[in-house]
Amino acid sequence: MKDIIQLHDRHFKVMITAEEIDRAVEAVAERLNADYADCDTPIFLGVLNGSFMFLSDLIKKIEFNNEITFVKLASYEGTSSTGAVKNLIGLNSSIEGRHIVIVEDIVDTGGSIQHMVELLKAQNPASVEVCTLFFKPASYSKQIPIKYRALEIGNEFIVGYGLDYDQLGRSLKDIYVVSE
Ligand code: IMP
Ligand code: MG
């Protein structure tokens, strides 16, 4: 693991190691395994691009029958939220009457997740819960309950394990934070 890396114009240092991430993913998987044990085939809805690594590790720890699908809702450029929200793409089959677990890389202000939950609830699923790898409580300003949060952080900008800085850094197995 490199201590300091450069992505575009910024330097980043390690903040959370792959081992710590794995422990947090394990803990959230245990909660899901308990809560969904008696549910009829929930659908994990991974939000692209950021959640691909979290979902692939999380799902290996899930013990109940499940379906997996990916959707896209992009709203972020650079290191600050643009506030703009876009439409949901990729959901081709009906979710009516189904139990949905949205899998996100990070919930920051909550704008994206609120928009996504509203779009999904309009399709009458049996339930919708949010499972996010990272949650920024100081930044979150919405009412949607974020039931499953693997890790909570401050308002710092992070990259790695799926999360990017203008598309770079997603493949890093540890989490890095801006160092200057
Ligand atoms: P929100 O709508 O403000 O909650 O922003 C959510 C989206 O912004 C996430 O799905 C990420 O794509 C992006 N985002 C927010 N914070 C970070 C960060 O610290 N690093 C990388 N992307 C972030
Ligand atoms: Mg995202």
Side-chain angles (χ1 to χ4, degrees):
M1 172 200 320
K2 273 198 198 162
D3 283 348
I4 301 281
I5 57 162
Q6 182 171 357
L7 303 172
H8 298 299
D9 56 334
R10 311 198 89 148
H11 290 90
F12 292 84
K13 61 180 185 218
V14 174
M15 181 173 129
I16 303 168
T17 65
E19 290 72 24
E20 292 173 281
I21 297 168
D22 186 63
R23 279 197 293 275
V25 175
E26 181 68 45
V28 92
E30 278 174 20
R31 287 184 57 207
L32 289 162
N33 283 331
D35 293 355
Y36 287 88
D38 301 321
C39 253
D40 189 22
T41 317
I43 305 176
F44 285 89
L45 210 74
V47 184
L48 290 173
N49 294 326
S51 75
F52 77 95
M53 208 177 278
F54 175 39
L55 180 48
S56 74
D57 283 343
L58 177 72
I59 212 72
K60 286 177 263 183
K61 301 175 192 291
I62 292 301
E63 292 163 357
F64 50 86
N65 283 348
N66 59 82
E67 292 179 21
I68 304 165
T69 190
F70 287 93
V71 292
K72 194 151 188 165
L73 189 69
S75 73
Y76 215 83
E77 277 164 19
T79 53
S80 70
S81 184
T82 61
V85 279
K86 295 180 185 167
N87 276 344
L88 191 62
I89 52 171
L91 199 61
N92 299 320
S93 50
S94 170
I95 58 162
E96 191 170 346
R98 304 296 301 273
H99 294 282
I100 306 295
V101 181
I102 303 172
V103 180
E104 263 284 19
D105 53 355
I106 186 161
V107 174
D108 183 359
T109 64
S112 320
I113 200 67
Q114 172 174 272
H115 190 56
M116 165 130 3
V117 168
E118 282 168 3
L119 291 171
L120 293 172
K121 284 198 167 159
Q123 299 189 38
N124 298 316
S127 68
V128 178
E129 296 294 351
V130 179
C131 176
T132 187
L133 177 61
F134 289 102
F135 183 64
K136 294 183 176 177
S139 182
Y140 189 68
S141 63
K142 306 295 183 208
Q143 302 304 317
I144 305 277
I146 310 297
K147 187 166 180 182
Y148 304 97
R149 315 157 179 192
L151 293 158
E152 297 198 354
I153 59 170
N155 275 345
E156 57 269 45
F157 186 82
I158 57 172
V159 294
Y161 199 79
L163 290 121
D164 71 302
Y165 170 43
D166 282 350
Q167 302 309 325
L168 291 185
R170 292 194 198 278
S171 61
L172 298 162
K173 67 181 170 59
D174 307 288
I175 290 291
Y176 289 73
V177 63
V178 175
S179 70
E180 59 196 52

